C-alpha cells in the first residue's frame, strides 16, 4: 500500500522514486503519464488524433514507460539534450505537418497520414528517461536493419535487472517501437536533407567504428551513454573530440548539427549554423584507425536473438553513404549513370567527358525534334517521355549543372553505381549506342572529306601495326549527288603511295615520300565484273541449289545469271544508282572541278569507272579489285579485300583479305571514344545522320533478348511509377540486383501486345518505352526498390490493396478516389505515413467481408421514397476506418530461420461507419474487378443538356445504409450520396458484394445517357443500384 501512495507525488515532483515501485507491483503503465516538456509541443500538435491517442494511451505509451523505467537508473542526466531534441523534433514535425482538410482527402488512411512521431510523443509524455530511450531507438534504426535492431533491443533488455518490466515487453512491441523510430528518421531526413547530406559527406572521409566492444550489451550501452554525454557537452558549449564513431552516429540519428573541425583528410572548419549550438561547442573529428579497410562509421555486434536457432550472428553495418542507406529517386538515377557508364568500359571511364557527350546528344535530339524531325520526336517525346534515354540525359545534365557539395555527392553516387552496380544493367551489346563498333561513328561526319581525313589518320596506325603495304589498304566512301538523291562509291588511298611500284624486303614495309590518290566517278559506265574468280565465290555465297537464293543477286549480273541458267525476271534490283545522260554530263563537269581541287592539294586523280572493282554486298562477298590501281608489275596476288574499320555504307577502310585482324587492339574503344567525343564537341557531326543512326539502332534493338535493354526499360518503368511519389526514397542495395530477371519484369513482358499497339500509335521504338504494369506488378516493383533486396511474384499480390513500409503507405489508387474516376489499373499512390507495424506489410482484405444484417426492429428507418429528380447527399455521417484483424502470414522470401518476418501479409479491414455505427467491411479492389460495375461516362453531347431533367423510369431513393443493406426489391434504385466520394465508394462496394448490377454516375448526370446505359446493360427483374 505504501508503494501505491508514492506514485502520485513522484509524478508531480518528477523524481525517480517511481521506478523501484513499478518494478515490484503489477502496474498498468498506460495509466501513468507526464505532461510533455514544452519543447516537444510542436510534435504533439502535428499528430493526428489517432496517433496522439495511441502515443498517450496505447501500446507505444506502455512501451515507452516500461523502457524508460528499465534504463532510467543507468543513464546520465542530459537535460540539455532533451530540450534541444524537443526543439528540433518540433521544428521537423511542424515542417511536415498536414492540415485536417488535407487528411480527409486520404479517406480510410486519413488517421495514418503524416510523419509517424508516435514513439517520440509517447516518450515525451513518459518522462526524461523515455526520451533517452527514443534517442537510442533512433541510433539503432539509423545503422541496423529492423530485425537486427529488434534483436539488439531484446539482448540489452534481457541483461537488465527490472524483471517486472522485462516480462511484459514482447518482441512485437519492440519491433513496433523500432518501426516508429525508423519512420521518424525518414521524415526528419527529408526535412533536414541539406544538413544530412553535408554530414554524410564528412563521415565518408573518416574511418572508424562506433566502438570495439564485442559484447552487445556493453557496446550498446557505451555508445548510448557516450553519445548522450558528448552531445550534452556540445550543447553546453564544451568542445568535444570524436574518439569513436558513436557521436557521429548520434548526429545523423538525432539531426543535431554542431560546428565541426575535420582533420581528415585535411583540417577544415565546417560551420553548420545550428542555433541549438549557439554556446559554441565544436566537435573535432579525426577518426583514422590504422589498418581500417573501409570508410565511414561502422558497428559490428554479435546478435544472439536474430534467429531461432544457432550461434550468434556477427553482423556489421555502416553509415557510409556507399553502403546500405536510402537515397531519393533523383539520387538513384544519378547512381544509375555510374552503372550505365561502367558498361561502356573505357568509353565511360572519364565521367565528365562522357556526360558532356550525353548532354550534347540530348541537345542535338531536342534541336532536331524542334525542326520537325519525326525520328527525333519519337525518341524523346510521346511514350518516350519517360524512357531510359531521357532519364540518362536528365541525370547527365543534373550532374553537369551541379557545383560544390552537390557535385561531390553526384560524384559519389556515380562511383556507387560503378562499384556496386555491375550486375544492375549488365553489359550492352555495343557501348555508346553502337557508335564505336569499328568506327561506325564515321557516318556521322558532315562531309566526305572529313571522313577521309579521319580514316587516313586511323590508317597510319593500322598499317604500322598490321605491317601492310600501301596497296593492301584503301578507303571506300559514298559520294552523294544531292540534286538527284543518288549515290556512288568512290575510292581513295588510305596511306600515301610511292610513285614507283612498292617493294618489300624481308618483313619491312616501304618508306619514303608518296602521294595520295582518289578514284573519282567521272560519269562513265560502272560495269559489273565477269571474272571467273568472282563468279566462283558468288556460287558459294548464293548457291543455286538453295531455293531462290540466287534471286538475291541483282539482275544486272547478267553474265552470272545466264551462265548459271537462271530464268525469270524476279531478280533483285540493282544496288547501283543509274544516271541519265543529263546527269552524266553534270557529273563529268563536276569531276573536272573536283579533280583540279584535289590535284591542287597534292593528290593524284584517277577515274573510278576505269577500275575493275566489284563491291556488291561487300559484307558477304568481300570487295573485288583486280590489279588495284594498275600500278603493280606482274600478276595480282589476291584481288579480295575486307572491311576493317568504319561504316560500311558511308566510309570505311578495307584491307587485303586475311589481314582484317587485331583491329580491337589497334583501335580500342577508349581511343575511338575520344575521337568521337571530340567530333561532337567541335560540331563536326551531321545532326540528321546522328538521328538516323540512333533511330535505326533503337528500332532494330530487341529488349526481349537483350538483358541490358530489358534492365534499362525496367529502370524507366520504375521511374515512371515513382514519379507519382514525391520525396519517396529507395534502398541503395537495389543497385546490386540483377534487374532484368525480376518477376515483375517478366510479367510486364507478357503484356507485349499492348506494348506493340502503343509503339505503332506513337512511333516510339519499343526498346525506349517503359513497360506497362498492372497493380500487382507495380506493388512488386515498389517492394523491390523499397527493400533493395526482396522480390515478389506479382501473381502472389492479387489481393493486395496497399503496402506499408517505413514512412510510406503505397495504395491502389482506386481506394482514394470517387468510383466514377477511371484510373489506370496499375496506378498506385503514395501516402506519407504508416500503419505502425514493423517491416513491410502487404494489406489484404478478408476473404468474405461482413455486411450488417438488418433486423426487423430497424424497420422505422427504412423509408423507400420515390426519386423526384434531384440528387442530394444523405450520407453526411459516413466515414471509412482502417483496422486489423490480427491475422498475418509471412511472405515467402526464402527461409532464413529469422525470428522476425520482414515482409508479410496483414489482414486489413476497411470499414464503413454511419455516425460511429459499423455498417460493413469492404473489398474495394474486388468491386472494380466486377463485371457488374458500370461507369456511366460524362456526357459529351452538348445537345443532351436540353434533354430530360430526370430519368424516364421510376427510381426509388436509398437515403441510408439500412436501405441498401436490407435487400431492395427488383427495380431501379439510386443511392443519394452526391459529391460524397467515400460514401459513393462504400455504396458501390456493398452493392457489388450483394450481387447487384451497379451503375456509377458522374458528378453532372445526363439523364438521357443514364437511361441509355441502364437499359442497354441491365435487366429490371432484379435490383439495379445507381450510385448518385
Amino acid at each position: 500500500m505504501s508503494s501505491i501512495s508514492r506514485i502520485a507525488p513522484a509524478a508531480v515532483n518528477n523524481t525517480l522514486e517511481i521506478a523501484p515501485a513499478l518494478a515490484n507491483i503489477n502496474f498498468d503503465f498506460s495509466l501513468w503519464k507526464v505532461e510533455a516538456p514544452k519543447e516537444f509541443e510542436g510534435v504533439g500538435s502535428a499528430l493526428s488524433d489517432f496517433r496522439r491517442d495511441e502515443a498517450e494511451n496505447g501500446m507505444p505509451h506502455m512501451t515507452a514507460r516500461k523502457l524508460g523505467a528499465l534504463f532510467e537508473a543507468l543513464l546520465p542526466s542530459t537535460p540539455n539534450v532533451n530540450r534541444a531534441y524537443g526543439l528540433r523534433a518540433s521544428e521537423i514535425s511542424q515542417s511536415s505537418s498536414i492540415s485536417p482538410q488535407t487528411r480527409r482527402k486520404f479517406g480510410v488512411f486519413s488517421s495514418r497520414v503524416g510523419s509517424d512521431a508516435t514513439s517520440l510523443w509517447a516518450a515525451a509524455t513518459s518522462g526524461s528517461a523515455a526520451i533517452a530511450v527514443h534517442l537510442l531507438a533512433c541510433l539503432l534504426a539509423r545503422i541496423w536493419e529492423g530485425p537486427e535492431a529488434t534483436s539488439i533491443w531484446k539482448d540489452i533488455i534481457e541483461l537488465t535487472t527490472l524483471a517486472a518490466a522485462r516480462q511484459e515487453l514482447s518482441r512485437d512491441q519492440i519491433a513496433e517501437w523500432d518501426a516508429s523510430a525508423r519512420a521518424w528518421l525518414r521524415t526528419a531526413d527529408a526535412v533536414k536533407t541539406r544538413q544530412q547530406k553535408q554530414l554524410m559527406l564528412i563521415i565518408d572521409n573518416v574511418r572508424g567504428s562506433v566502438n570495439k566492444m564485442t559484447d552487445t550489451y556493453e557496446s550498446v550501452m557505451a555508445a548510448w551513454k557516450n553519445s548522450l554525454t558528448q552531445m550534452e557537452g556540445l550543447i553546453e558549449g564544451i568542445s568535444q573530440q570524436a574518439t569513436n564513431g558513436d557521436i557521429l552516429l548520434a548526429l545523423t540519428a538525432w539531426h543535431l548539427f554542431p560546428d565541426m573541425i575535420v582533420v581528415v583528410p585535411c583540417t577544415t572548419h565546417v560551420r553548420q549554423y545550428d542555433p541549438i549550438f549557439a554556446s559554441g561547442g565544436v566537435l573535432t573529428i579525426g577518426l583514422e584507425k590504422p589498418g581500417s579497410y573501409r570508410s565511414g562509421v561502422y558497428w559490428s555486434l554479435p546478435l544472439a536473438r536474430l534467429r531461432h536457432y544457432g550461434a550468434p550472428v556477427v553482423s556489421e553495418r555502416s553509415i557510409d553513404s556507399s553502403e546500405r542507406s536510402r537515397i531519393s529517386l533523383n539520387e538513384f538515377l544519378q547512381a544509375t549513370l555510374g552503372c550505365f557508364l561502367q558498361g561502356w568500359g573505357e568509353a565511360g571511364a572519364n565521367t565528365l567527358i562522357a556526360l558532356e557527350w550525353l548532354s550534347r546528344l540530348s541537345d542535338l535530339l531536342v534541336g532536331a525534334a524542334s525542326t520537325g524531325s519525326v525520328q527525333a520526336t519519337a525518341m524523346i517525346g510521346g511514350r518516350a517521355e519517360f524512357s531510359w534515354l531521357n532519364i540518362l540525359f536528365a541525370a547527365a545534365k543534373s550532374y553537369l549543372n551541379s557545383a560544390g557539395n552537390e557535385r561531390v555527392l553526384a560524384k559519389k553516387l556515380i562511383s556507387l553505381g560503378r562499384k556496386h552496380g555491375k550486375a544492375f544493367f549488365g553489359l550492352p551489346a555495343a557501348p555508346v549506342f553502337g557508335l564505336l563498333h569499328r568506327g561506325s561513328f564515321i557516318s556521322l561526319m558532315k562531309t566526305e572529306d572529313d571522313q577521309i581525313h579521319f580514316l587516313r589518320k586511323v590508317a597510319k596506325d593500322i598499317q604500322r601495326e598490321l605491317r601492310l603495304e600501301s596497296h593492301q589498304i584503301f578507303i571506300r566512301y559514298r559520294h552523294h549527288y544531292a540534286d538527284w538523291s543518288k549515290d556512288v562509291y568512290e575510292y581513295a588511298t588510305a596511306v600515301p603511295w610511292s610513285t614507283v611500284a612498292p617493294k618489300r624486303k624481308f618483313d619491312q614495309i616501304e618508306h619514303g615520300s608518296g602521294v595520295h590518290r582518289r578514284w573519282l566517278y567521272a560519269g562513265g559506265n560502272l560495269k559489273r565484273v565477269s571474272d571467273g574468280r568472282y563468279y566462283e565465290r558468288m556460287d558459294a555465297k548464293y548457291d543455286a541449289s538453295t531455293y531462290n537464293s540466287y534471286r538475291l543477286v541483282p539482275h544486272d549480273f547478267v553474265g552470272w545469271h545466264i551462265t548459271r541458267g537462271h530464268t525469270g525476271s524476279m531478280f533483285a534490283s540493282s544496288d547501283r544508282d543509274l544516271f541519265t545522260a543529263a546527269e552524266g554530263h553534270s557529273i563529268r563537269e563536276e569531276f573536272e572541278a573536283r579533280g583540279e581541287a584535289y590535284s591542287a592539294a597534292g593528290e593524284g586523280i584517277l577515274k573510278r569507272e576505269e577500275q575493275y572493282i566489284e563491291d556488291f554486298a561487300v559484307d558477304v562477298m568481300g570487295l573485288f579489285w583486280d590489279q588495284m590501281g594498275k600500278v603493280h608489275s606482274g600478276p595480282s596476288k589476291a584481288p579480295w579485300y575486307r572491311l576493317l574499320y568504319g561504316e560500311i555504307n558511308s566510309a570505311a577502310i578495307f584491307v587485303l583479305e586475311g589481314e582484317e585482324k587485331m583491329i580491337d587492339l589497334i583501335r580500342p574503344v577508349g581511343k575511338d571514344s575520344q575521337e568521337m567525343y571530340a567530333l561532337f564537341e567541335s560540331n563536326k557531326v551531321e545532326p540528321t545522320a546522328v538521328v538516323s543512326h540512333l533511330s535505326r539502332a533503337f528500332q532494330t534493338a530487341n529488349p526481349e533478348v537483350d538483358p541490358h535493354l530489358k534492365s534499362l526499360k525496367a529502370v524507366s518503368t520504375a521511374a515512371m511509377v515513382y514519379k507519382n511519389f514525391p520525396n519517396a526514397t529507395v534502398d541503395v542495395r537495389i543497385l546490386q540486383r540483377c534487374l532484368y530477371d525480376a518477376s515483375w519484369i517478366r510479367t510486364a513482358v507478357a503484356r507485349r501486345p499492348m506494348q506493340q499497339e502503343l509503339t505503332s500509335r506513337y512511333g516510339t521504338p519499343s526498346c525506349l518505352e517503359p513497360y506497362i504494369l498492372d497493380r500487382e506488378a507495380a506493388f512488386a516493383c515498389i517492394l523491390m526498390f523499397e527493400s533493395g533486396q526482396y522480390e515478389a511474384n506479382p501473381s502472389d499480390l492479387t489481393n493486395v490493396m496497399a503496402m506499408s513500409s517505413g514512412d510510406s503507405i503505397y495504395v491502389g489508387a482506386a481506394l482514394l478516389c470517387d468510383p466514377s474516376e477511371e484510373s489506370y489499373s496499375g496506378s498506385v499512390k503514395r501516402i506519407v505515413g504508416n500503419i505502425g507495424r514493423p517491416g513491410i506489410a502487404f494489406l489484404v482484405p478478408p476473404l468474405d467481408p461482413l455486411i450488417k444484417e438488418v433486423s426487423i426492429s430497424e424497420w422505422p428507418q427504412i423509408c423507400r421514397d420515390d426519386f423526384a429528380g434531384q440528387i442530394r447527399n444523405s450520407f453526411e455521417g459516413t466515414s471509412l476506418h482502417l483496422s486489423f484483424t490480427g491475422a498475418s502470414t509471412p511472405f515467402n522470401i526464402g527461409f532464413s530461420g529469422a525470428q522476425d518476418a520482414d515482409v508479410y501479409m496483414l489482414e486489413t479491414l476497411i470499414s464503413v461507419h454511419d455516425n460511429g455505427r459499423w455498417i460493413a467491411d469492404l473489398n474495394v479492389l474486388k468491386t472494380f474487378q466486377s463485371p457488374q460495375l458500370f461507369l456511366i461516362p460524362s456526357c459529351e453531347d452538348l445537345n443532351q443538356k436540353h434533354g430530360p431533367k430526370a430519368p424516364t423510369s421510376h427510381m426509388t431513393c436509398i437515403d441510408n445504409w439500412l436501405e441498401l443493406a436490407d435487400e431492395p426489391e427488383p427495380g431501379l434504385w439510386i443511392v443519394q450520396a452526391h459529391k460524397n466520394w467515400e460514401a459513393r465508394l462504400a455504396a458501390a462496394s456493398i452493392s457489388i458484394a450483394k450481387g447487384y448490377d451497379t451503375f456509377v454516375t458522374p458528378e453532372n448526370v445526363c439523364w438521357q445517357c443514364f437511361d441509355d446505359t441502364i437499359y442497354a446493360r441491365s435487366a429490371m427483374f432484379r435490383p439495379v443500384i445507381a450510385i448518385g
Side-chain angles (χ1 to χ4, degrees):
M1 192 70 181
S2 61
S3 297
I4 297 176
S5 67
R6 294 165 60 189
I7 294 174
V12 173
N13 296 325
N14 196 24
T15 72
L16 302 180
E17 292 179 344
I18 191 171
L22 297 181
N24 294 290
I25 62 173
N26 185 14
F27 185 82
D28 187 349
F29 281 81
S30 67
L31 300 178
W32 191 92
K33 58 188 175 187
V34 301
E35 182 178 351
K38 63 179 182 180
E39 292 85 1
F40 286 85
E41 289 176 354
V43 177
S45 64
L47 287 173
S48 67
D49 293 341
F50 172 82
R51 283 214 172 104
R52 185 160 182 153
D53 182 65
E54 282 282 292
E56 295 178 357
N57 303 300
M59 189 61 69
H61 185 78
M62 295 179 65
T63 304
R65 280 295 309 129
K66 291 176 181 180
L67 289 174
L70 195 63
F71 293 105
E72 187 169 18
L74 304 175
L75 298 174
S77 175
T78 55
N80 289 306
V81 171
N82 289 356
R83 283 193 291 269
Y85 188 69
L87 291 171
R88 181 52 38 83
S90 291
E91 174 194 344
I92 292 169
S93 294
Q94 291 301 308
S95 297
S96 57
S97 64
I98 298 176
S99 67
Q101 295 79 7
T102 302
R103 287 186 189 279
R104 284 195 288 270
K105 295 179 181 179
F106 297 101
V108 69
F109 295 96
S110 60
S111 64
R112 316 283 176 152
V113 173
S115 60
D116 183 3
T118 308
S119 65
L120 173 54
W121 188 247
T125 56
S126 298
S128 59
I131 294 173
V133 170
H134 169 78
L135 293 175
L136 175 59
C138 292
L139 282 178
L140 297 178
R142 171 62 72 197
I143 195 168
W144 297 102
E145 296 280 0
E148 293 170 334
T150 301
S151 299
I152 292 171
W153 276 110
K154 294 299 290 183
D155 282 348
I156 63 175
I157 288 171
E158 288 296 324
L159 292 172
T160 55
T161 58
L162 294 180
R166 182 178 70 241
Q167 291 171 355
E168 296 181 22
L169 277 169
S170 69
R171 193 177 184 94
D172 286 344
Q173 284 178 264
I174 295 300
E176 290 182 10
W177 176 259
D178 171 76
S180 181
R182 205 169 287 275
W184 168 253
L185 285 182
R186 290 203 194 176
T187 298
D189 288 346
V191 174
K192 292 295 181 180
T193 298
R194 182 184 61 79
Q195 294 91 333
Q196 282 291 100
K197 286 182 178 179
Q198 177 170 288
L199 180 58
M200 290 307 301
L201 290 174
I202 294 170
I203 290 176
D204 284 349
N205 289 318
V206 302
R207 290 197 293 271
S209 63
V210 169
N211 55 52
K212 291 294 186 181
M213 298 178 185
T214 57
D215 179 83
T216 299
Y217 178 83
E218 292 180 359
S219 179
V220 172
M221 295 303 296
W224 187 11
K225 292 177 183 179
N226 188 59
S227 56
L228 285 170
T229 302
Q230 287 202 285
M231 192 68 76
E232 182 78 6
L234 287 168
I235 296 170
E236 289 178 346
I238 303 172
S239 296
Q240 304 287 317
Q241 170 78 37
T243 56
N244 285 318
D246 43 22
I247 184 62
L248 298 180
L249 176 61
L251 296 182
T252 68
W254 301 344
H255 300 89
L256 300 174
F257 307 102
D259 288 354
M260 294 179 285
I261 296 177
V262 184
V263 299
V264 177
C266 61
T267 301
T268 306
H269 195 164
V270 180
R271 297 190 181 277
Q272 305 206 76
Y273 305 102
D274 190 334
I276 284 174
F277 298 92
S279 298
V282 176
L283 179 65
T284 299
I285 301 175
L287 298 177
E288 184 85 29
K289 302 298 183 182
S292 180
Y293 65 93
R294 61 189 306 166
S295 61
V297 174
Y298 56 92
W299 201 353
S300 179
L301 291 176
L303 307 182
R305 290 169 176 81
L306 184 62
R307 295 177 181 165
H308 284 286
Y309 176 78
V313 178
V314 178
S315 295
E316 182 173 290
R317 297 294 180 189
S318 169
I319 54 171
D320 173 11
S321 66
S322 66
E323 297 293 335
R324 186 195 63 82
S325 62
R326 302 196 67 81
I327 54 179
S328 69
L329 178 64
N330 287 336
E331 290 170 341
F332 163 74
L333 296 177
Q334 283 282 313
T336 61
L337 268 183
C339 305
F340 187 76
L341 295 179
Q342 188 271 335
W344 280 7
E346 292 181 65
N350 188 311
T351 297
L352 181 61
I353 291 177
L355 296 188
E356 285 176 341
W357 179 78
L358 280 173
S359 178
R360 292 188 182 99
L361 184 62
S362 171
D363 295 341
L364 186 150
L365 289 176
V366 170
S370 67
T371 58
S373 170
V374 175
Q375 290 178 319
T377 302
M379 285 186 280
I380 60 174
R383 281 282 298 175
E385 180 183 356
F386 297 102
S387 73
W388 55 264
L389 185 63
N390 276 336
I391 287 173
L392 290 175
F393 288 158
K397 288 184 176 296
S398 176
Y399 178 92
L400 296 173
N401 292 331
S402 64
N405 283 341
E406 287 187 4
R407 173 62 67 89
V408 173
L409 177 60
K411 287 181 178 179
K412 285 180 175 291
L413 289 166
I414 289 177
S415 296
L416 173 71
R418 288 185 186 275
K419 179 180 178 181
H420 294 284
K422 292 181 174 64
F424 190 64
F425 286 143
L427 295 177
V432 199
F433 314 124
L435 286 169
L436 299 183
H437 178 66
R438 296 201 168 191
S440 295
F441 64 92
I442 299 299
S443 62
L444 310 183
M445 295 183 183
K446 287 185 174 180
T447 68
E448 64 188 45
D449 285 341
D450 287 340
Q451 294 173 331
I452 293 171
H453 176 75
F454 177 78
L455 289 175
R456 282 174 171 169
K457 183 170 65 172
V458 172
K460 291 180 181 179
D461 295 335
I462 294 175
Q463 184 198 29
R464 181 179 62 254
E465 294 295 333
L466 297 185
R467 310 188 71 79
L468 298 173
E469 297 182 8
S470 58
H471 67 283
Q472 294 176 328
I473 180 171
F474 60 84
I475 295 170
R476 184 184 79 155
Y477 60 95
R478 181 188 294 271
H479 181 66
H480 182 64
Y481 297 99
D483 291 344
W484 318 307
S485 296
K486 294 180 179 181
D487 304 275
V488 68
Y489 283 116
E490 297 181 334
Y491 294 81
T493 53
V495 294
W497 278 15
S498 173
T499 55
V500 298
K503 298 181 180 179
R504 189 169 185 127
K505 182 178 182 181
F506 302 108
D507 61 347
Q508 298 178 348
I509 61 173
E510 73 275 8
H511 296 282
S513 62
V515 297
H516 277 292
R517 290 175 170 77
R518 294 204 191 203
W519 288 266
L520 305 181
Y521 181 54
N525 185 16
L526 296 176
K527 299 178 180 178
R528 292 293 190 183
V529 301
S530 57
D531 193 287
R533 293 168 295 178
Y534 194 86
Y535 283 3
E536 288 176 6
R537 180 169 290 195
M538 191 174 286
D539 289 339
K541 300 295 184 180
Y542 298 92
D543 188 352
S545 65
T546 303
Y547 180 71
N548 279 346
S549 63
Y550 65 89
R551 295 187 183 276
L552 299 174
V553 178
H555 63 81
D556 49 0
F557 278 96
V558 178
W560 184 74
H561 283 299
I562 291 175
T563 57
R564 270 59 179 171
H566 301 156
T567 59
S569 59
M570 297 299 292
F571 303 120
S573 58
S574 178
D575 60 330
R576 294 178 175 175
D577 288 329
L578 299 178
F579 298 93
T580 65
E583 292 167 351
H585 178 73
S586 296
I587 291 172
R588 285 190 288 275
E589 292 180 347
E590 181 185 293
F591 169 79
E592 296 297 333
R594 292 174 67 205
E596 290 179 6
Y598 290 130
S599 294
E603 296 195 37
I605 304 302
L606 299 95
K607 292 184 178 180
R608 155 65 183 91
E609 53 267 44
E610 292 179 353
Q611 299 299 307
Y612 202 50
I613 301 174
E614 184 53 68
D615 54 7
F616 160 66
V618 294
D619 53 335
V620 177
M621 293 286 296
L623 191 146
F624 184 90
W625 191 347
D626 194 29
Q627 297 290 334
M628 179 185 177
K630 296 183 179 179
V631 297
H632 306 298
S633 60
S636 174
K637 294 182 179 179
W640 296 101
Y641 297 83
R642 286 286 181 179
L643 171 71
L644 180 69
Y645 181 89
E647 209 286 315
I648 195 168
N649 295 314
S650 180
I653 295 173
F654 285 75
V655 296
L656 192 67
E657 192 169 71
E659 300 290 346
E660 66 278 15
K661 57 191 176 184
M662 295 172 52
I663 185 61
D664 293 332
L665 297 177
I666 300 170
R667 296 293 299 182
V669 167
K671 192 170 186 178
D672 265 1
S673 64
Q674 293 174 14
E675 301 278 10
M676 188 191 71
Y677 296 157
L679 288 174
F680 275 79
E681 185 177 7
S682 58
N683 196 31
K684 288 187 176 181
V685 295
E686 175 57 48
T688 57
V690 177
V691 171
S692 296
H693 173 90
L694 292 178
S695 179
R696 185 168 57 251
F698 293 147
Q699 292 286 1
T700 57
N702 185 359
E704 310 309 322
V705 298
D706 187 336
H708 179 73
L709 278 177
K710 192 180 293 185
S711 298
L712 288 170
K713 281 170 65 77
V715 163
S716 68
T717 304
M720 191 166 66
V721 170
Y722 270 79
K723 74 180 175 65
N724 297 317
F725 307 155
N727 301 319
T729 58
V730 301
D731 194 300
V732 73
R733 290 172 296 181
I734 186 66
L735 295 169
Q736 297 173 323
R737 296 299 305 269
C738 183
L739 197 57
Y740 76 90
D741 199 37
S743 297
W744 59 276
I745 291 297
R746 293 197 297 270
T747 299
V749 171
R751 297 170 63 88
R752 203 166 35 179
M754 184 179 294
Q755 290 287 118
Q756 290 175 341
E757 179 183 344
L758 289 169
T759 299
S760 61
R761 184 184 304 169
Y762 294 102
T764 300
S766 171
C767 76
L768 293 181
E769 289 185 335
Y771 290 114
I772 296 175
L773 303 183
D774 55 20
R775 187 187 69 259
E776 295 88 341
F779 276 129
C781 169
I782 295 168
L783 171 65
M784 193 174 189
F785 280 79
E786 180 71 18
S787 69
Q789 55 183 325
Y790 300 132
E791 185 179 348
N793 191 319
S795 62
D796 295 332
L797 305 179
T798 303
N799 295 320
V800 172
M801 55 186 174
M803 180 186 118
S804 176
S805 175
D807 66 339
S808 302
I809 306 174
Y810 299 96
V811 186
L815 276 70
L816 299 174
C817 62
D818 188 274
S820 66
E821 298 179 23
E822 287 188 271
S823 62
Y824 159 51
S825 63
S827 180
V828 175
K829 294 184 177 181
R830 175 182 179 252
I831 297 173
V832 177
N834 69 18
I835 62 171
R837 299 297 179 96
I840 298 175
F842 285 119
L843 278 53
V844 295
L847 293 177
D848 192 13
L850 300 176
I851 300 175
K852 174 182 171 58
E853 294 286 343
V854 181
S855 68
I856 193 171
S857 62
E858 294 174 306
W859 64 267
Q861 301 179 51
I862 302 175
C863 298
R864 314 282 170 116
D865 294 332
D866 291 341
F867 179 61
Q870 184 67 37
I871 302 178
R872 60 182 181 273
N873 178 22
S874 300
F875 292 82
E876 295 91 344
T878 295
S879 58
L880 299 179
H881 299 266
L882 190 74
S883 60
F884 309 104
T885 67
S888 67
T889 183
F891 193 79
N892 183 18
I893 54 176
F895 180 75
S896 65
Q899 293 199 42
D900 303 285
D902 214 16
V903 184
Y904 52 96
M905 297 285 193
L906 182 64
E907 191 172 59
T908 305
L909 299 179
I910 295 180
S911 304
V912 56
H913 289 237
D914 182 24
N915 293 307
R917 181 178 59 169
W918 175 82
I919 300 298
D921 297 323
L922 312 177
N923 188 337
V924 176
L925 296 183
K926 187 176 180 180
T927 299
F928 285 91
Q929 296 166 355
S930 172
Q932 290 185 281
L933 182 72
F934 305 98
L935 304 184
I936 298 176
S938 297
C939 181
E940 297 180 359
D941 185 355
L942 297 179
N943 294 325
Q944 295 286 14
K945 290 187 176 181
H946 305 290
K949 302 299 182 182
T952 57
S953 298
H954 174 266
M955 267 200 307
T956 305
C957 293
I958 294 177
D959 287 308
N960 62 55
W961 291 110
L962 294 182
E963 292 177 351
L964 179 60
D966 187 37
E967 184 171 345
E969 298 174 357
L972 186 57
W973 302 75
I974 184 166
V975 177
Q976 294 276 51
H978 192 53
K979 294 186 178 181
N980 185 340
W981 74 267
E982 289 181 275
R984 281 163 56 87
L985 184 65
S989 186
I990 292 173
S991 177
I992 291 296
K994 296 182 77 68
Y996 307 146
D997 284 350
T998 306
F999 294 81
V1000 180
T1001 65
E1003 182 174 328
N1004 298 311
V1005 184
C1006 166
W1007 293 114
Q1008 183 63 57
C1009 295
F1010 178 87
D1011 287 337
D1012 293 344
T1013 305
I1014 292 287
Y1015 289 117
R1017 299 194 177 185
S1018 187
M1020 295 300 175
F1021 58 81
R1022 57 189 179 191
V1024 176
I1025 309 297
I1027 310 298

